[in-house]
Every structure is written in C-alpha cells, then in structure tokens.
Amino acid sequence: MITKIKANKSFRGTTKYVLEKEKAQIIGGNMYGITTDKLVEQFTLSAHLNPQLKDPCYHLMLSVPKTDRDLNDEELANLSQRHFANVIVLSRLKGDEAQVKQPLKRISDTKLNQLVDEFIETELPAYDFFIARHSDKKHDHTHIVASRVNNLDGKSIRTWNNYAYSEHSARLLEREFNLTPVQSSWESKRKAMTRNQLERVERDGLPGEEIMRQAIEQAAASKPTMPEFIERLWSEHQIKAIVSYYSHGAVRGIKFGIDIGSVNEDGSPRLLWKQGGNLNKYKCSFSKLQSELAINYEPLRDDAEIKRLTDLIESAPIPPINQQIIEQATSTITTDNLEILPKQSEPITEIKPPITQTQSLELYRHYSLELENELFTDRDKQVAVRAIQDGKTDPEVAEILKASPALWNQEEARALVLIAKNQLAKQQPSPESQQAEQQQLRQELLAIAVPVGVELINHLIEDTGKDSLKFKHSSLSKQGRELVFTHDERGEVFRVQVNRNPQGEIEYSVVNIGEVKQSDIETWQKAKQILLEYIEHERQQSITRTRGLSR
C-alpha cells in the first residue's frame, strides 16, 4: 500500500478536499456530522482543548494497489481505523521499541497488535475522526481526517517520525489483510516519494525515472556482468545505458535514457536522460551498481564490449516487430501481469511496410486521446482496442503500443494486443443492445450538457463577443437560439434549440444528435466541474453576469 500522512492547520480545507471529491463517501469514524460544516464544527471544538497546538488537523491516506482484491466498505474502514490506531500507538513508544527501521530493535508485531487492540477498545473514541473512501482512481484509497487532540485530556498526538510509523503500519496491515507487500523506503534504500510525486503516480502512472529504477533492478537481478546488464536494459526495457570514460581510460560515469513520448522539432524521440547518481544515489551510479546490485565489472574484460555496445545503442532505433508472423495465443492470457502462455505462429498473407517510430508515436497519441487520466496498463488496453477497431493489423498495434510511456517490450505489447482482441470478441453486443445503449448515452449527454452548456455560454462567452468555446478535442458554439456541440474528428454531436419556460426553467428540443460516446459525457462532467469552480470564483469576486444564451 502507498501511505501518506501530514499534520496541518486547516480542518475546513482538508475536510472539503476529502468530502467534495467526486464519488467520495464516508465509510467510518466516530463523528455525528456528514457535511463539511458539521464536521469542521466538531473538529474546532476539539482543537479548542489545546489552543497552543499549531497543526491540529491530521490527514492520513492509504492506497490499495489495483492488482489486489477488492475490499468492501467495512474492510476498508477497519483497515483505515487500525492504521490510524497503529500510528498513534507507535508515536507513544520510547527507546528501542520506537526504532521501526531496525527489525532487531523495534517492538514485536505481536506486542504492537496487543497494544493497538487495547487502544481501539479504550482510547480511540476520545479522538474525533472520519474515514472517507475515494473511488475516483483505478484503485481503492481512503482518507482519514482526524483531530490530533484527545477530547479527554487535551493532549495531542506526536508527529515526530510519523512517516516511518505510517509506513511500518502499512507493512503490518498488508500482512494482516493479505495485500501485496511493498518495501518501506528504508528497506529499499530509496527516498520515499514526496506527496506531489505520489499524486502524479496516481494520476499518470509511474514516471520515467521510476520506470528506469525498476528496470535497472530487474536487469541486475541475476548479477550479470556490466556489458550483459547494459545489453539487457536495452533489449528488454528499451533503456539506454551509456558509460563515459576519462581521457586516461578510467570510467567517468553512467547515464540512463528513456523515451517518454516527447519529440524534437524534427519528430525524433527526445529521451529523458538521468545520470546514475542523480537517478538513485544509492544504487544507480557506476560504483553503486557494483557494490549495491552486485553487477560484475572488470575493466580489462569489459571495457571494449561496453564501448561497442555504447556505439550501437546511442544510434539504435527501437527495434520493430517482425512483420512476417502474427502470434496468436492458444490459451488464456492473464491480464493483470501479462503472463504469456504457449503460442503458435501463423504467416501473414499480405505483408505491409512497417510503420515508422514517428508514425507509431503519432498513432499512439491519437488513440490515447481522452485517456490521459488512466493508469498505463488500462490506458494501453484501450489504445489497442481502438487501433484494432480502426483496422490496424496486430503487428501495427503492437508497434503503436511500444510508443507508450510505459515502454512495453515486444512480448508485452503482443500480449496487450491479444488481450484487446479477446475483450472485443467478448463484447460484440447485438444491434438491439447497441441501439439501446446509444439511446441511453444520448439521454445522459443531453441531461448534463444542455444546462451546463447554457451556463457556460452565459458566464464565459456572452460578454466576450465570441460565439464558441473550445474544449480539448471538441467545441461548443452558440448559433442563434441553438446550442451546438462538435467533436474535432466525429463532427456535430448534438444541436438543440434552447428556451426558458415561464417558470424560468431551461427547455430544449433536439434538432440533431449524432453518435455519442462515453468520452463525450466525461468531457461534460469535467466542464461542469470547471463551471462550478468559475461560478464560485465569481461569487467571491462579487461579479454579476446578466446576459445569457436563453434570456
């Protein structure tokens, strides 16, 4: 599990952030309120018992990997409550028992669990807290918002070393709830991610630096020689490892490069480069690769081969998939870990010229539109589905997938293609169900888009003299009394005539409506959120807008 923990001043800001997220739901705690105002009111009363405390608000987060089993609300609430209790109990320990980073000194798991059980039974009710579940990501995560002040004696929870206590608690809970174990930051000899880095991982998937770190550890697992390590990084992970030398022949250092999807003006890939020492000071410098990861290096034996590999890798393009065969699975592929089972080959009846690396990148960007918030595996499954539906061959789809920032190797890309084909084969809805689904999507789209669109016109367009508003891949325009929503590629999605009835309510009649996709509804959900934020900003600035589309 990923864990975050922080003390701050603002109960209102923290509670508002946690509760007013889309799909947020309170699933546990001991507080009587369910709204931000009621909860803040109770938290404030608690904080008054210790007015000297500068940061009375405690905010803890636990994130369960999407590869783990689904936890229901009761299980997540129990897990989160125990995490909160673990952190408090650990913060009270003294001496060697508090040294959670040292297995031979720290408190035993059995004793800690006994203390936590007693604490939950006797003292936990004295702390105001609530637990909220967020379902806006592709994995479960909960937020625990609490007062650090004990309502009985006014004493506060200590926050010294709280991140280490939080990580240690997460390791205990992983074992207790049978979840995927994760190394703590001190166990992996790697700095823990910052809060911003963790949020970027949740939003975008692993960053390029982390992909490189993990690939380096995998390539070094069998303790290879340095040339073997460099060759393996390139052939299996498409990561360039370049060793530089001083003029007198000694090794100067090593740097690593990865294609994360950026391009230069001429369309060529712009790699992300990191010096080994900067990538991970504990393991990735040339000397630490030997001392920490046990990579074997002998100058007389290895230098000539390293220089030869450097010459090849520096100028090498990503190797294309063999266009002579399409590999098809004869049995099931596990979608979670992309485990590839036995295959058989079948010759292609018509050989097409392989698509170039630049074309692959452009096609990947095209097929990944509106999937930016998905994690890499989920995003690229959908990219494969879209490419197949667009008539691309299996090798072409695999080549497109290799342009992903996830840096799939050849086997993984092929596996994703087969997963996508299997998914499409299972879907194939009947014409009747397709028609019903399309009708439902149209109703959902108009229900959110028309009122939001009218307000967007009123607030963002009317006073500017413009007649259209540009979204990321679509646009909204005002044409007389008509509201028109157009997708950049699919053309006009809907056109409605808008009026207000005598009661001031918005009414509309459909002039035209085309094919609607789920992504259209997601676009308008985002537009609604932007509108609400804009209206709140206007309210705070006391700006009144009176002209609008349907006035």
Side-chain angles (χ1 to χ4, degrees):
M1 291 184 294
I2 293 175
T3 177
K4 304 179 194 174
I5 186 167
K6 186 177 181 180
N8 62 70
K9 297 178 181 179
S10 177
F11 285 114
R12 180 167 296 278
T14 305
T15 303
K16 182 180 177 68
Y17 167 79
V18 170
L19 282 192
E20 298 185 15
K21 278 263 190 173
E22 185 179 0
K23 298 182 181 179
Q25 176 188 4
I26 293 180
I27 60 172
N30 61 359
M31 302 181 72
Y32 56 76
I34 59 172
T35 66
T36 297
D37 288 343
K38 288 293 184 182
L39 292 166
V40 171
E41 177 183 298
Q42 190 173 348
F43 278 136
T44 303
L45 291 173
S46 173
H48 283 164
L49 297 175
N50 191 338
Q52 292 79 27
L53 188 63
K54 293 182 179 180
D55 297 315
C57 179
Y58 222 6
H59 184 190
L60 305 87
M61 191 279 278
L62 279 175
S63 178
V64 180
K66 69 184 183 70
T67 52
D68 274 326
R69 63 187 178 90
D70 292 332
L71 301 178
N72 59 37
D73 288 347
E74 183 179 355
E75 288 178 305
L76 267 181
N78 184 23
L79 179 148
S80 301
Q81 176 178 282
R82 194 159 190 90
H83 177 62
F84 181 41
N86 281 343
V87 171
I88 297 176
V89 171
L90 287 167
S91 73
R92 296 178 175 183
L93 298 177
K94 297 180 180 180
D96 285 350
E97 284 191 328
Q99 304 301 314
V100 295
K101 297 181 181 180
Q102 301 183 41
L104 297 180
K105 293 183 177 182
R106 68 187 177 210
I107 186 172
S108 68
D109 293 354
T110 301
K111 183 176 180 181
L112 177 60
N113 283 329
Q114 291 174 347
L115 293 176
V116 170
D117 288 339
E118 294 173 4
F119 174 82
I120 291 174
E121 183 69 26
T122 60
E123 292 189 61
L124 185 60
Y127 294 91
D128 292 333
F129 72 99
F130 72 86
I131 301 166
R133 180 175 192 160
H134 279 190
S135 302
D136 59 334
K137 306 292 181 186
K138 291 298 181 182
H139 53 280
D140 290 315
H141 67 285
T142 60
H143 293 262
I144 308 143
V145 182
S147 170
R148 289 175 55 206
V149 179
N150 186 306
N151 286 319
L152 296 179
D153 58 20
K155 295 181 180 179
S156 64
I157 302 169
R158 295 174 68 243
T159 58
W160 180 83
N161 209 30
N162 63 0
Y163 199 91
Y165 296 149
S166 179
E167 284 195 277
H168 183 56
S169 170
R171 304 295 82 80
L172 296 176
L173 294 171
E174 286 162 356
R175 294 192 288 272
E176 182 178 345
F177 286 82
N178 194 29
L179 301 174
T180 301
V182 177
Q183 280 189 316
S184 294
S185 57
W186 59 86
E187 292 172 327
S188 64
K189 295 186 177 181
R190 180 183 302 160
K191 289 178 65 178
M193 289 187 184
T194 67
R195 178 181 177 184
N196 288 339
Q197 287 171 329
L198 287 166
E199 289 175 348
R200 283 198 299 272
V201 169
E202 290 177 12
R203 183 183 67 245
D204 304 326
L206 289 176
E209 295 94 327
E210 186 63 25
I211 293 173
M212 283 194 280
R213 291 187 190 107
Q214 293 188 9
I216 287 168
E217 291 180 359
Q218 292 173 25
S222 61
K223 301 179 181 179
T225 64
M226 190 64 72
E228 289 172 340
F229 167 74
I230 293 170
E231 192 279 331
R232 192 173 298 170
L233 271 182
W234 174 241
S235 63
E236 297 180 5
H237 303 278
Q238 282 72 61
I239 292 173
K240 296 188 175 186
I242 305 299
V243 178
S244 59
Y245 290 83
Y246 289 108
S247 58
H248 54 74
V251 171
R252 182 175 185 176
I254 188 169
K255 66 178 180 179
F256 301 93
I258 188 173
D259 185 350
I260 58 172
S262 298
V263 294
N264 297 308
E265 292 182 0
D266 61 359
S268 61
R270 180 189 300 149
L271 301 189
L272 169 68
W273 287 101
K274 286 288 182 179
Q275 292 293 335
N278 294 334
L279 179 62
N280 188 333
K281 65 182 181 181
Y282 291 105
K283 291 184 179 178
C284 298
S285 68
F286 194 82
S287 60
K288 290 294 185 180
L289 288 172
Q290 300 168 64
S291 61
E292 295 286 340
L293 295 181
I295 295 175
N296 188 277
Y297 169 65
E298 296 180 13
L300 293 177
R301 180 195 66 193
D302 295 337
D303 281 345
E305 179 64 9
I306 289 173
K307 291 174 181 178
R308 186 188 72 82
L309 287 170
T310 296
D311 291 339
L312 290 174
I313 292 173
E314 279 189 310
S315 58
I318 296 177
I321 291 177
N322 183 356
Q323 298 294 316
Q324 301 299 317
I325 60 170
I326 295 178
E327 295 190 342
Q328 298 180 332
T330 58
S331 53
T332 307
I333 293 181
T334 304
T335 59
D336 288 336
N337 56 18
L338 301 181
E339 177 188 355
I340 303 174
L341 299 179
K343 301 174 180 178
Q344 61 184 11
S345 299
E346 180 181 332
I348 294 180
T349 56
E350 180 181 356
I351 300 175
K352 296 182 179 180
I355 59 177
T356 66
Q357 185 175 350
T358 301
Q359 290 172 329
S360 299
L361 182 58
E362 289 302 316
L363 287 168
Y364 179 83
R365 288 175 173 170
H366 169 70
Y367 293 125
S368 62
L369 288 177
E370 301 171 353
L371 298 175
E372 292 84 355
N373 293 329
E374 298 282 349
L375 295 179
F376 282 136
T377 301
D378 298 319
R379 180 196 307 176
D380 290 346
K381 288 177 188 175
Q382 291 305 307
V383 167
V385 167
R386 291 178 176 183
I388 292 169
Q389 290 174 327
D390 200 29
K392 300 300 181 187
T393 66
D394 290 15
E396 287 174 336
V397 178
E399 195 69 14
I400 291 166
L401 290 172
K402 289 175 66 178
S404 164
L407 296 175
W408 306 116
N409 62 32
Q410 182 171 321
E411 292 298 309
E412 292 167 338
R414 288 171 172 167
L416 283 170
V417 173
L418 293 169
I419 291 167
K421 293 178 71 174
N422 186 52
Q423 180 179 330
L424 285 170
K426 289 181 179 179
Q427 291 175 352
Q428 294 186 350
S430 65
E432 293 79 11
S433 63
Q434 284 181 315
Q435 185 176 0
E437 181 183 4
Q438 183 62 205
Q439 183 61 27
Q440 182 179 354
L441 286 174
R442 287 171 174 173
Q443 292 173 352
E444 291 179 9
L445 177 65
L446 293 177
I448 184 174
V450 173
V452 171
V454 169
E455 292 302 318
L456 284 172
I457 295 291
N458 289 348
H459 287 83
L460 301 181
I461 294 181
E462 191 70 18
D463 293 335
T464 66
K466 299 180 180 179
D467 60 3
S468 65
L469 181 66
K470 180 65 179 171
F471 296 153
K472 189 168 186 179
H473 306 295
S474 53
S475 60
L476 173 71
S477 64
K478 168 190 173 184
Q479 300 180 15
R481 308 296 297 182
E482 292 181 347
L483 194 68
V484 184
F485 177 57
T486 306
H487 192 275
D488 292 348
E489 296 178 352
R490 290 183 280 121
E492 190 173 290
V493 179
F494 70 73
R495 177 187 293 267
V496 296
Q497 189 173 64
V498 182
N499 295 286
R500 287 188 187 272
N501 63 24
Q503 291 75 37
E505 300 169 334
I506 294 175
E507 294 182 339
Y508 64 90
S509 58
V510 179
V511 177
N512 174 56
I513 187 163
E515 181 187 11
V516 175
K517 296 188 176 182
Q518 183 64 39
S519 58
D520 296 326
I521 296 174
E522 293 169 356
T523 294
W524 281 97
Q525 288 171 339
K526 294 176 183 176
K528 182 179 180 180
Q529 183 61 39
I530 292 171
L531 174 65
L532 293 174
E533 292 173 358
Y534 184 86
I535 292 174
E536 175 63 16
H537 175 73
E538 279 194 321
R539 186 187 67 79
Q540 292 176 355
Q541 297 295 323
S542 299
I543 298 175
T544 304
R545 300 187 182 272
T546 57
R547 298 174 60 197
L549 175 69
S550 56
R551 296 183 64 86

